[in-house]
Amino acid sequence: MDRECAQLLPPVCAVLGDSRQLVADDTFLEKFLDWFKTLTETESSLHLLQENPCLTELITCVLKLKDPSSSTLSFILRLTGIFTASESCFQYLQQRELLNSLFGEEGPLSSALWEEASVRSGWVQGVHTMTQHQSAIHFLCNCGAIDVIFTLQGDPSLFVASAANRLLVHILTFSLQSFQTKPVNIKDCDWPICAQKLIPHLEESLKSSSASRIKQSLKLLTSVFGCCHDLWTEVLWSQLSEPITYLLENEPFNAGNSLVDLFLSMARSPVFSCPECSLWKSASYALEHLNPAQAGCLSAGILKLQECPQAVRMQALSVLLQPMDCVLKAASQPLEYPGLLNNSLSDSATIETLLSCRSSCASLLCQTLAHLEELLYLTYMPVNLPHIPLLKSVVTVLQFGTGLATPASSLGSKISRILIGCFRVQRSALDILGAFSHWESHSVFMGSVSDILLAYLKSPDTSPTVLKKSFQATLKWLVRLSEAPSSRDYWLQTEQFFRDLFLVLQKRLCSHCWEIRDSALEFLTLLVKHLREKEEFRQVLVSSEVPKFTEDLLEDPESYVRASAVLAMGQLSFLTHLNSKIPSTENGNGKEVKKKSIVAQLQEILVTDSEGFPRRAVISVFIDWLRDGHTDVLKDTEQFVSSVLQVVNCDLDWEVKAGGLELAEVFSAKTLGRVGLAGCPYVSVVSAATRSTQLNESLQIFYRVKLFEFLFGALCDCDRPVAQKACSILIALKAELCDENSLKEGLSAEHSFPEAHGIAWLEKTLRRWSSCAEPCPIGIANEAGSQNPNDILLVLRTIDLEGLNKSLNRSSDHIENSPQSLLQDILATVGTLEENEADCY
Amino acid sequence: MLDCGLDMTSTLNFLPLPLVQSPRLSKLPGWVLKDGSTFLDKELKECSGHVFVDSVPEFCLPETELLDLSTVDVILISNYHCMMALPYITEYTGFTGTVYATEPTVQIGRLLMEELVNFIERVPKAQSASLWKNKEVLRLLPAPLKDAVEVSTWRRCYTMPEVNSALSKIQLVGYSQKIELFGAVQVTPLSSGYALGSSNWIIQSHYEKVSYVSGSSLLTTHPQPMDQASLKNSDVLILTGLTQIPTANPDGMVGEFCSNLAMTVRNGGNVLVPCYPSGVIYDLLECLYQYIDSAGLSNVPFYFISPVANSSLEFSQIFAEWLCHNKQTKVYLPEPPFPHAELIQTNKLKHYPSIHGDFSNDFKQPCVVFTGHPSLRFGDVVHFMELWGKSSLNTVIFTEPDFSYLDALAPYQPLAMKCVYCPIDTRLNFIQVSKLLKEVQPLHVVCPDQYTQPPPTQSHRTDLMIDCQPPAMSYRRAEVLTLPFKRRYEKIEIMPELADSLVPLEIKPGISLATVSAVLHTKDNKHVLQPPPKPVQPLASKKRKRVSDDAPECKPLKPLLSGSIPMDQFVQALEKHGFSDVKVEDTAKGHIVLLQEAETLIQIEEDSTHIICDNDETLRVKLRDLVLKFLQKF
C-alpha cells in the first residue's frame, strides 16, 4: 500500500465504522474489497493489519455497533475473510477474539440482522475466502459453522443457498486434498472431522423426502466430482451410490436433471473410467428409466466421452436415435427403410406418445436434433453414427415441416399436423442438415438434400429465420463439395442445382421483406467468396440475373441491405468478366449512357450514404480489394487510396475511420513490401544506397496519397480506438522509415533532432499544413507550417509516439480507478451526505 | 336463404371476348367430331387441344329445382361476392321476399355486377350457341365440356335494369343490428373480417341459436376484424366460405407477388394482374405502396383499368366505419384510410374505365396493369393477354383464387409470357377454423362435405380438413339435412296487470308457485298471457247486452291443492272426530285408511285421494274437509 493510501485509510475506516455516516453507494465497498484482494496477493495480510491498525479497529468498531447496517456488516465479514485467508492473520485476529464474534455463534448468527440475505451472503463469502488452511477448518468445526452452512443450503435466497453449496464443496475438497492414497473404507480411515460431518449429512439429504434437499445434495456431489479427481471420490461414491440408486429407481423424474448432471460429471472423471465401475450400471439404468428429454441429455454427454464402456455408448446412441427412428418410420412404408434402430431392442411407446402431442413433439425433436448436431461436429466420434438413415430422418422431418412427407401411420399424421409450419423444428433440422455436409458426399447431396433445400428456399411460406438457416445449410454443402476433388460429372449435376438456386436467389433479392433480401445477399457474398475460383460456378452465376439485381440493391432503402449489397458486389466484382455484362442504359435523349464502374458506385456510397453500415461495408470491400489485388484497384492504386483516405478523413463514424486506417496499413505494407523495405526476412540484404532510394520512393508515394496527413489526423482523433490504431501504424512506419542512416542522408547536417512533442503540437502543425498553400523549405516546418516528404519524416521522428501509445493503451478511467481515488471518493461522498443533511434542515 | 353466389367457372368453357378483333381467335379451327361430323364447328373451336364454345359466356345459376324460390321469405347476404346471382333470383323466380345486406356489400356488389354487365355488353356477340347443350351432343364432347353440370340451366348475363331492380329489394343493415323475422327468429349480421361490409349471421330464437359463418378472415387486412365472441353458445354453426387454397399462406403469396412483379419490371417486362375491382386489390396496392420504393419501382406506372375503377377506389375511402381500427383512426386525422389515394396523387397509380380513350395516350411500358376479369374470358384483360402474351419478358400474376389459372390460360396457348400463380385468399384456413371452433364451442358444426376430408390432390394432408368434436355434419349438393336440434320451448310474455295479480307461494326454499289463469294470445309467433275476462256478473239492468261485449263465461275457479298428508296426524284427527277403528295399510302408491265401522275407505296416493263410502254424502264431506286441512290451497 502506498503512503498516500495509508494516510487516507484511517479516516475512511473511521467513516465506515461510524453508523451515522452511511456510505450511500455500495459499489464503493465492492471496490474497496477488490482493492484488498489485490493487495493481499502481493503483500502479507498480517503486515497490512499491523501497519494499518485502523483496519482491526474498523472490525472491532463495527462489531461493537448496536445497530450496524446490513451492508456494512456484510462488508466487514467479507473483508475479514480476505485477511484470514492467511493463516498468520487468522491467528492474529483469533487472538483478539474477533473471529468468534464474526463467524461463530456470538456473531451475526444470533442477531436480528441475520434475517438480511446480504448478511448471510457476506458470512458465507467470508467463510469461503477464509477456508484456505487447516486452522480455519478446525475453527469452523468447533464453532458449529458447518451446521449453519447445512441450514443455509436451503436458504430462501437462491444466491445464499448456491454460495453455501459451493462452500461445502470447497470445504470437502480442501479438507480431503491431503488424501493421496486410496482409503479402503470410509469408516476405517481417519477422515477429517468436517468430512465425517458432511458425508452423513449428504446421505441423509439424499434419503430425505424433500426434493430441494435432494437436488442441492446432487448438485454438491456434481461439483465435487467435477472439480476433484482424487481417489477418495471413488470411496465417496461407494458410500453414496446406494441412496442415489434408490433415487434413480424411485424418483427418476423429479431428480432426473440433477442425476444426469451428476453422472456426466462423474463420467468425465478418470477415477470412474474403469468399465467395471458401478457408475456405468447406474448410467445405463438411468438411460433406460429417465424421461426421453433427460435421457437424451445423458446420452449426448456419454457419447462425447473418450472413455466409456461400448455397451453404454451403444445404449446412449439408441436413446438419441429413437425419436428420429420414430419419425422415419412414421413416413415410410415398413420395408422401405430399415430404420435407425433394431425394432426388437427399442420400446418406442413413450417416444410415440411424446411425438403425438403438440407441446412435447417440437421440444423433443429440437433437443434431439441439437444433440445429434453436436455429435456430427465432433472430430473424434467413438461410435459410428448411421449417417445415411439419420440424414434421411432429418430430411423427413423437413419434409413433414412443409407438408411434403406422406404419413405412413396415424403417428405420421399427427407428426405431420404438428410439424407443418413449426419454425423451431425446421430451424433445428436445417442446422443439422448443414452439419451433415462434413460427412456426406456429392451423391447424397444430389439425392435428397438438394431437393429439400430447394423446396425450403423456394417456398413462399418459409419464414425469414428458416430461410436464413436454409441458406446456411446450402452454403455449407456447396463449400464442402467444392473442396472435394471434383469431376466433370459432379459439375454437370451441380450446374442444374445452381441454375435453380440462382432463380430462387433472384426472387429472394426482390423480396418485399428486407430480412430476406439481406439474408440472400449475405449468402451470395459467402458463396462467391468460396466458389469464385470455380469456372463452372462463375458461368452459371454470370448468366443469371443475380448480379444485376444485386447491383440494384445498392440503392435499397434499408441500410442493412445496402451494406450487404456492397459486400456482395465487392465479391462479385472479382469475377472480372462480369464487367462486360453490365448493361448500358439509355437516357432520355436515346443516347447510351455508360454505367458507372463499381468502384465509382462504391465511392459514391462512401461519400453520400447517410447511414454508417453501408459506408463501413464499402471500406471493408476496399480493404479486401487492395489486399487481394483487385484489377480495378491495381489500375491506379495511389489515386484509389488517396481518394478513399480523403473521404474517410471527413467521416464522423469511428468505425469507418478505423477501416480507413486498416486500408492505410495494408497500403503502406504493400508499398514498403514492393520496394523491398518490409516483410519477408529472407529477402536479400540491400545496400544502404539502394535502401535510401527505396525509402525515398516510398515516402514520395505516401506523400502523394497524403497518407501521413490522414494518419496524423487520426492520431489526434477523439475516438480512442482510432487514435490507438493510427499510433500503432505510425510506430511501425517510423521503425521502417526513420532509421538513423537514412535520416542522416535525407536531412541537412545542421538539422538537429528536436525534442519529442505531444498531441497539441501535432494538432498545431496539422493546422499550419492545412492553412498554408505553398510548401516551405526543409527544416522550417516547425515555424512555417506546410509539408514535404522530409517534413513528414521530421514530424514522425519528433512526435512522441511511444508515449502516446502508452497513454492511449490505458483505459480512459485509469485515474478514477486508482485506490487513492476510491478512498477520496468515499470520504467525499460522506462529506456530500453531511452537506445534504445540513441542507435538509 | 343464405347467400346467392354465382358460379362463374362455367365461363371458362367459352372463348374469350376480345375488345378488338383478334385474328388469332377468329382463325381458330372449328371442332370436328371423331367421326368427321362438322355440324358443331360453328359453335365449338379448338385451341391447343382444348375445345371452347364460341358464344356469349354463360353462368351457372344456384339450384332452382330443389326449392320453389318464390317461397323464400328472406335472403341473407354475407359479402359482395356472394350476391352475384341475385338478379336471377329476384327477377326470374317470383321471389317476393326481402334481402338483407350491409351497405358496403350492396355498393361494391353493385360495382361488381356493373362491371360484369359492362364487360359482356360492350362486345356484343352475334352468335349464340345452343346446339352443343343438347344432351345427346354433350356426351360426344371432350372433357371438361361433357362433364359440365346442368348446362341446360346456364344463363346469359343479366342486364343493368335487372341489377337495379334486384338491388332495390335489398334492405340495408348494420353490424349487430337485430332484425325480427316474423317474430319467429331474430337475425343479426356480425363483422366477418373478410371484405368491406362482409358479415356472418346469427339466427336465433329465445332458446336456440344458429350461426352462419361464411367468408371470414382473422388476418389483419383492411376490413373491421371478425366478431368471434358473438358466435359463442351456438347450437349449430354452419361453416362455409373457407379459403379455397389452404396451402397458400396469404403473407407468403403477397411476398411472391411482389418479388415476381419486381423481377419482371426490372427485366423490362410488363406485369398483368387479372383481378376484381374491389377486395384484395386494396391490400395489394397498399403493399405495393410500401414496396415500390424499396424495389426501385418508383418510376414504373401502375394502371387500374375497370369501368368501376374510379368508384371502387373512392368508395373504399368513404366506408370508414366498416374499416379496421387503424384505418378508422386515419379518418380523424384527417387522412384517407387507404394509401392508394397518395399513389393516385403522385401519379404512380392511374385508373381508367377502359383501354380506350385517355389510357392509350398515357400508356407507358414497362408497367403493371390491374384489370378484370380474373377468368380471362371478358374485360380488358383479354386485350392485354393478346398484346403481351407473345413475349417472355412479360408476366401474368394470378391473385384471385376463384379460377384455375391453367384453365383460364387455356385459350391463350401457346403462350410465351411467364405465368405466376399467387392466389391470395384471406379467408379462414383449417388451423384458424380449429382455433375458432375451440373458442366459440358450438354444439354442432355443419359444413360442406369437402371440408371433412383432405383435398383430393393431397390426400396425406390430414391437417387440411375440419377436425372437431363432435365430428362436423357434412352436406353435399342438393342434400337435405335436418339440423340436430328441436324447438322445445317458447317464450311467453305476461301482461303487467296479470303479473300484478299473481300470488306466489313458496313451496320450497327458493321455489315459489302461483296459479295463473289467463288468455294466451298468439300473433306473429309472439305469445302473450293476458288477464282473463272477468266472470259474468248478473245483469243489474235488464238492458240487453251488446253482442260485441259478449265475453266467454267463466266458472268460479276451484283452488289447487298441494302438499302431502302426514298419516299419523291424519289418523289422530280422525280419532278426534270420532272414528275409533282406524286402520292404515301401506300400498305401493300410498296408503289406504280403513274406517271399518263406517264401512268407508280413504285411498291416499301421491297425486289423488279417493273417499269411497256408501252414499253417505255428509260423511264424505266431513272426511273431505279433514283431508283438505292437511293440504295447501292456491
Side-chain angles (χ1 to χ4, degrees), chain A residues 141 257 490 501 766 808:
Chain A
C141 290
N257 291 327
Y490 158 73
L501 179 67
L766 289 175
L808 284 167

Side-chain angles (χ1 to χ4, degrees), chain A residues 685-703:
Chain A
V685 179
V686 291
S687 69
T690 318
R691 187 176 163 74
S692 168
T693 319
Q694 286 172 342
L695 187 142
N696 202 34
E697 198 183 318
S698 302
L699 259 179
Q700 290 297 334
I701 294 171
F702 294 152
Y703 173 68

Side-chain angles (χ1 to χ4, degrees), chain A residues 501-536:
Chain A
L501 179 67
F502 291 140
L503 275 178
V504 173
L505 200 59
Q506 69 190 48
K507 197 161 78 179
R508 295 300 189 180
L509 290 175
C510 295
S511 170
H512 69 310
C513 172
W514 73 263
E515 289 95 334
I516 290 180
R517 298 199 297 275
D518 198 44
S519 303
L521 286 168
E522 279 176 9
F523 168 70
L524 177 66
T525 309
L526 293 169
L527 195 66
V528 178
K529 190 175 178 180
H530 288 99
L531 271 70
R532 71 184 185 211
E533 301 304 326
K534 303 278 175 190
E535 178 59 29
E536 295 87 346

Side-chain angles (χ1 to χ4, degrees), chain A residues 402-407 413 417 420 458 460-461 506-507 510-512 517 545 548-549 552 556-557, chain B residues 247 249 251-253 255-256 258-260 262-263 266-267 287 291 293-294 460-463 465 467:
Chain A
T402 46
L404 290 171
T406 309
S413 300
R417 275 167 171 269
I420 287 176
K458 275 181 190 169
D461 293 338
Q506 69 190 48
K507 197 161 78 179
C510 295
S511 170
H512 69 310
R517 298 199 297 275
E545 300 293 338
K548 180 173 171 286
F549 287 178
D552 289 347
D556 198 279
Chain B
T247 48
N249 168 17
D251 284 340
M253 287 298 127
E256 284 285 289
C258 290
S259 306
N260 284 295
M263 280 203 300
R266 281 182 191 174
N267 282 329
C287 183
Y291 176 65
D293 287 335
S294 72
H460 67 283
R461 293 289 299 268
T462 51
D463 57 314
M465 56 187 271
D467 178 26

Side-chain angles (χ1 to χ4, degrees), chain A residues 196-421:
Chain A
Q196 284 181 27
K197 272 190 160 187
L198 217 152
I199 293 163
H201 166 74
L202 276 174
E203 224 174 328
E204 193 189 314
S205 299
L206 288 170
K207 285 177 184 168
S208 82
S209 56
S210 154
S212 65
R213 272 187 78 184
I214 293 172
K215 278 185 192 167
Q216 286 285 4
S217 305
L218 289 173
K219 262 188 200 169
L220 191 151
L221 286 172
T222 306
S223 305
V224 169
F225 291 122
C227 69
C228 184
H229 297 160
D230 293 341
L231 288 174
W232 61 263
T233 51
E234 197 182 347
V235 185
L236 182 66
W237 166 245
S238 68
Q239 181 74 13
L240 298 175
S241 62
E242 190 200 329
I244 288 172
T245 310
Y246 177 83
L247 271 179
L248 191 58
E249 285 168 2
N250 296 286
E251 303 273 340
F253 301 134
N254 288 342
N257 291 327
S258 306
L259 283 169
V260 168
D261 291 342
L262 174 67
F263 291 149
L264 287 178
S265 161
M266 290 173 70
R268 288 181 201 118
S269 164
V271 177
F272 302 98
S273 62
C274 160
E276 287 79 35
C277 178
S278 64
L279 161 71
W280 302 114
K281 205 176 149 193
S282 302
S284 171
Y285 188 89
L287 285 174
E288 212 171 315
H289 290 92
L290 291 178
N291 73 33
Q294 294 163 342
C297 290
L298 182 58
S299 302
I302 286 175
L303 287 170
K304 285 181 210 157
L305 296 171
Q306 302 269 355
E307 301 287 333
C308 170
Q310 190 63 9
V312 179
R313 228 174 239 158
M314 295 312 293
Q315 192 189 354
L317 185 63
S318 299
V319 167
L320 217 48
L321 293 179
Q322 210 167 22
M324 303 310 293
D325 184 56
C326 284
V327 171
L328 189 59
K329 285 177 184 158
S332 45
Q333 298 307 321
L335 296 172
E336 195 181 350
Y337 279 97
L340 286 156
L341 298 169
N342 185 344
N343 277 335
S344 59
L345 293 176
S346 58
D347 168 29
S348 55
T350 319
I351 299 285
E352 284 179 12
T353 314
L354 288 173
L355 289 177
S356 312
C357 168
R358 189 170 285 275
S359 56
S360 54
C361 176
S363 349
L364 179 65
L365 283 179
C366 284
Q367 193 197 22
T368 307
L369 290 167
H371 288 322
L372 288 168
E373 189 196 351
E374 277 179 29
L375 293 181
L376 282 174
Y377 280 119
L378 287 184
T379 45
Y380 165 76
M381 186 66 194
V383 286
N384 286 327
L385 278 177
H387 286 109
I388 297 291
L390 184 58
L391 176 63
K392 171 68 189 159
S393 71
V394 171
V395 171
T396 307
V397 168
L398 286 167
Q399 285 172 336
F400 271 129
T402 46
L404 290 171
T406 309
S409 61
S410 64
L411 174 67
S413 300
K414 284 176 190 162
I415 293 177
S416 171
R417 275 167 171 269
I418 295 168
L419 292 190
I420 287 176

Side-chain angles (χ1 to χ4, degrees), chain A residues 560-704:
Chain A
Y560 298 119
V561 179
R562 288 202 301 278
S564 298
V566 166
L567 295 174
M569 283 310 291
Q571 284 299 328
L572 282 172
S573 70
F574 279 110
L575 315 179
T576 44
H577 46 281
L578 267 182
N579 295 342
S580 59
K581 271 231 21 154
I582 295 173
S584 300
T585 48
E586 279 193 5
N587 66 9
N589 305 324
K591 286 181 183 171
E592 276 207 346
V593 179
K594 188 84 178 166
K595 261 201 138 180
K596 274 184 193 165
S597 75
I598 184 65
V599 183
Q601 283 187 68
L602 296 196
Q603 279 181 330
E604 192 178 328
I605 290 174
L606 189 63
V607 176
T608 55
D609 204 304
S610 57
E611 300 275 345
F613 300 111
R615 302 203 308 272
R616 290 174 203 169
V618 170
I619 277 292
S620 109
V621 166
F622 284 167
I623 294 167
D624 283 348
W625 283 1
L626 187 62
R627 196 176 275 141
D628 296 352
H630 189 283
T631 46
D632 286 355
V633 174
L634 290 177
K635 277 181 206 160
D636 190 350
T637 312
E638 283 183 32
Q639 169 57 29
F640 170 76
V641 172
S642 165
S643 60
V644 173
L645 294 185
Q646 216 173 336
V647 175
V648 169
N649 201 26
C650 307
D651 204 300
L652 294 175
D653 186 313
W654 74 267
E655 283 192 52
V656 174
K657 269 195 181 148
L661 286 166
E662 198 178 336
L663 184 86
E665 193 176 21
V666 173
F667 176 71
S668 60
K670 276 198 168 265
T671 309
L672 293 171
R674 201 174 65 223
V675 297
L677 289 174
C680 184
Y682 304 111
V683 174
S684 57
V685 179
V686 291
S687 69
T690 318
R691 187 176 163 74
S692 168
T693 319
Q694 286 172 342
L695 187 142
N696 202 34
E697 198 183 318
S698 302
L699 259 179
Q700 290 297 334
I701 294 171
F702 294 152
Y703 173 68
R704 284 197 296 272

